[in-house]
């Protein structure tokens, strides 16, 4: 906005010979230079922003001395005022931003340091997931090479490859089992269909066309379903062997199927016996991580109502919530595709999806103008809501981990008290009523998130209590 205002205004002033007025020329030059040199994002306030405000004030004084009716200034005086207006806006916003940065820098770093210490301690206890996966891969490689050498000494790498692919991208026993089944079924069907088709098609243009069709279908189904991808890969290999060896035998494809079954079986066994990670434990960990991120998200949103210059750009935090929700769906996929506990888990995922939907509305609200409430009464209301909602998040985390004796606040009485305290008919407090209405609007989806949290906690055995208890 500053550049789009400056550029045409300066060009027009030059055409109208306004810079023949030496004082105007010098004041504009000083103003532009001081704004250009201002280091707004520097944690230490610099003199440039103060200089810009001073030069802007001098320009205002000069404008007050010029008579708009004077024919010498009539054609270009409005352009100077346009520059003065946008410069004033930029300087004011830059000053507020600088104040907020300085205020944040002055806050103690103790919490951040403690958080880093906790993370370091967590990393020190036990092996990293990548290290565990590497150990599993080594054990799988040794076992598959031994068994593969007995099944097919010339193609023992088939079992090794199958074992690697089953472990690749899986973190739990359940996800490994699902991938192992998909790999086995896809390979078995692909070998059977590929053998039959290759038997009726002689090497030539048609078989080459089918070969490239299999390549296309393999990559097409790669992001959709692993079993179909395995099916088309095996068919592709059948056509390749037929072309390269001048024919395909039943023993060759049977060896391919057996090696795949041995490889995925060994990979699944290693996943279940060496550093096993149960699917439900993984779902619990991801759910707790999502609730913890949501707790910080809501705290940041409500914090802006009681702290002036508090930043509440929740776009990045909202994206992080979205990623964790997708990970939760991925972790739940083995159980969703099964039968045991599927219905209840689907209900939980639906509630988490609803929470994420409400959180997106809070992201939209946080991008509006500053929502700081000056009256102490509003501070007390927001503070109470913030504390009770934070407590509910903490209790939900405990309930997800299986702890007993958890409790959650409904906050319906708090919401009712806030809504009933609004006096629509008292015109003497119109500005206060406007703030009241804004508060009701801004925390509407906080109520919805809390209702969902209470529902989840109650399903996990938490006790529902009133906020006055």
């Amino acid at each position: 906005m500053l550049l789009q205002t400056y550029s045409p205004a300066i060009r027009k002033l030059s055409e109208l010979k306004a810079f023949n007025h030496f004082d105007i020329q010098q004041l504009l030059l000083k103003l532009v230079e001081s704004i250009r040199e201002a280091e707004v994002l520097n944690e230490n306030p610099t003199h440039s922003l103060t200089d810009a405000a001073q030069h802007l004030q001098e320009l205002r004084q000069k404008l007050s001395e010029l008579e708009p009716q004077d024919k010498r200034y009539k054609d270009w005086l409005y352009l100077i005022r346009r520059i003065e207006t946008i410069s004033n806006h930029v300087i004011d916003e830059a000053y507020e931003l600088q104040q907020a940065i300085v205020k944040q820098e002055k806050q103690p770093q103790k919490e951040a340091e403690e958080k880093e210490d906790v993370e370091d301690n967590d990393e020190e206890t036990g092996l990293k997931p990548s290290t565990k996966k590497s150990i599993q891969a080594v054990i799988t490689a040794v076992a598959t090479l031994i068994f593969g050498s007995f099944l097919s000494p010339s193609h023992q790498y088939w079992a090794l490859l199958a074992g690697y692919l089953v472990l690749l991208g899986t973190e739990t026993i359940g996800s490994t089992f699902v991938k192992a089944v998909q790999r086995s079924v896809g390979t078995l069907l692909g070998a059977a269909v590929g053998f039959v088709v290759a038997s009726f098609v002689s090497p030539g243009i048609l078989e080459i066309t089918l070969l490239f069709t299999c390549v296309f279908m393999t990559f097409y189904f790669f992001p959709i379903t692993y079993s179909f991808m395995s099916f088309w890969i095996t068919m592709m290999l059948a056509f390749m062997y037929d072309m390269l060896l001048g024919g395909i035998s039943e023993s060759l494809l049977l060896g391919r199927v057996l090696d795949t079954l041995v490889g995925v079986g060994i990979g699944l066994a290693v996943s279940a016996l060496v550093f096993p990670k149960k699917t439900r434990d993984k779902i619990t960990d991801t759910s707790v991580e999502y609730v913890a991120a949501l707790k910080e998200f809501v705290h940041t949103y409500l914090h802006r109502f009681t702290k002036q210059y508090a930043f509440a750009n929740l776009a990045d935090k909202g994206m992080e919530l979205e990623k964790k929700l997708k990970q939760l769906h991925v972790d739940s996929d083995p159980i969703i595709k099964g039968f045991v506990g599927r219905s209840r888990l689907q209900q939980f995922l639906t509630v988490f999806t609803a929470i994420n939907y409400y959180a997106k509305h809070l992201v939209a609200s946080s991008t509006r103008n500053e929502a700081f409430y000056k009256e102490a009464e509003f501070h007390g209301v927001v503070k109470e809501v913030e504390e009770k909602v934070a407590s509910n998040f903490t209790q939900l985390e405990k309930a997800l981990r299986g702890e007993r004796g958890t409790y959650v606040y409904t906050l319906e009485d708090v919401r009712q008290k806030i809504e009933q305290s609004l006096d629509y008919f008292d015109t003497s407090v119109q500005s206060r009523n406007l703030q009241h209405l804004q508060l009701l609007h801004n925390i509407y989806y906080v109520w919805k998130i809390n209702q969902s949290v209470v529902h989840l906690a109650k399903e996990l055995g938490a006790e529902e209590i009133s906020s006055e208890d």
Side-chain angles (χ1 to χ4, degrees), residues 430-460:
Q430 186 173 2
S431 61
R432 181 181 177 278
N433 285 339
L434 180 60
Q435 275 201 333
H436 202 146
L437 289 171
Q438 289 175 342
L439 177 63
L440 294 178
H441 171 75
N442 286 328
I443 64 175
Y444 172 76
Y445 285 102
V446 176
W447 304 129
K448 305 295 289 183
I449 291 176
N450 186 72
Q451 288 176 354
S452 302
V453 170
V454 170
H455 173 76
L456 285 175
K458 288 173 61 180
E459 289 292 322
L460 294 170

Side-chain angles (χ1 to χ4, degrees), residues 149-294:
S149 61
F150 290 105
L151 290 175
S152 53
S154 60
H155 300 94
Q156 54 184 327
Y157 59 88
W158 282 348
L160 175 64
L161 180 62
Y164 275 162
L165 291 177
V166 166
L167 292 177
L168 186 65
T170 57
E171 298 184 32
T172 63
I173 302 174
S175 59
T176 306
F177 175 78
V178 170
K179 196 170 184 178
V181 172
Q182 291 176 340
R183 180 78 181 181
S184 302
V185 173
T187 301
L188 179 61
L189 294 179
V193 175
F195 174 76
V196 173
V197 175
S199 300
F200 289 96
V201 178
S202 59
I205 300 298
L206 179 58
E207 191 167 26
I208 294 176
T209 303
L210 292 175
L211 177 65
F212 283 104
T213 301
C214 292
V215 174
F216 171 80
M217 299 302 289
T218 297
F219 284 92
Y220 180 81
F221 283 103
F222 176 73
I224 300 175
T225 170
Y226 187 74
S227 57
F228 272 30
M229 186 199 73
S230 302
F231 171 81
W232 290 106
I233 285 180
T234 308
M235 279 195 64
M236 178 187 68
L237 292 176
F239 291 134
M240 290 180 63
Y241 286 134
D242 185 55
M243 294 174 61
L244 294 175
L245 302 178
I248 187 170
S249 62
E250 298 180 10
S251 59
L252 184 64
L253 285 181
L254 181 61
R256 165 73 179 177
V257 173
L258 291 177
D259 286 340
T260 300
L261 294 177
V262 169
V264 298
I266 292 175
L268 178 59
V270 171
S271 175
L273 298 176
V274 181
F275 304 118
K277 181 73 172 180
K278 294 182 178 179
T279 303
R280 293 190 180 276
D281 293 341
K282 178 61 176 174
I283 294 174
T284 299
D285 293 342
T286 307
S287 301
V288 171
E289 290 177 4
Y290 181 86
V291 173
L294 183 65

Side-chain angles (χ1 to χ4, degrees), residues 376-397:
E377 178 184 353
F378 292 118
H379 285 204
V381 170
V382 175
K383 193 68 176 177
E384 181 181 4
V385 173
E386 183 178 350
E387 291 176 353
K388 296 296 174 59
V389 172
S391 174
N392 286 350
F393 285 134
T394 302
Q395 296 298 318
L396 177 58
E397 291 178 25

Side-chain angles (χ1 to χ4, degrees), residues 114-140:
E114 291 178 352
K115 184 177 181 180
E116 292 179 358
D117 293 339
V118 170
E119 292 178 353
D120 293 339
N121 292 334
D122 291 342
E123 293 180 355
E124 291 176 359
T125 56
L127 297 175
K128 294 181 179 180
S130 58
T131 305
K132 295 179 180 179
K133 182 64 67 175
S134 300
I135 295 175
Q136 289 179 342
V138 171
I139 297 175
T140 301

Side-chain angles (χ1 to χ4, degrees), residues 373-436:
Y373 295 127
K374 297 182 179 180
E375 294 193 21
E377 178 184 353
F378 292 118
H379 285 204
V381 170
V382 175
K383 193 68 176 177
E384 181 181 4
V385 173
E386 183 178 350
E387 291 176 353
K388 296 296 174 59
V389 172
S391 174
N392 286 350
F393 285 134
T394 302
Q395 296 298 318
L396 177 58
E397 291 178 25
K398 293 180 179 179
L400 287 169
R401 293 192 184 98
E403 297 184 21
R404 301 292 182 181
T406 55
Y407 59 91
V408 286
Y409 299 105
T410 59
L411 294 184
E412 285 299 323
D413 50 345
V414 177
R415 181 180 182 181
Q416 184 177 359
K417 180 175 63 177
I418 296 174
E419 293 173 346
Q420 290 180 346
S421 62
L422 176 62
D423 190 353
Y424 291 93
F425 304 101
D426 191 351
T427 57
S428 62
V429 290
Q430 186 173 2
S431 61
R432 181 181 177 278
N433 285 339
L434 180 60
Q435 275 201 333
H436 202 146

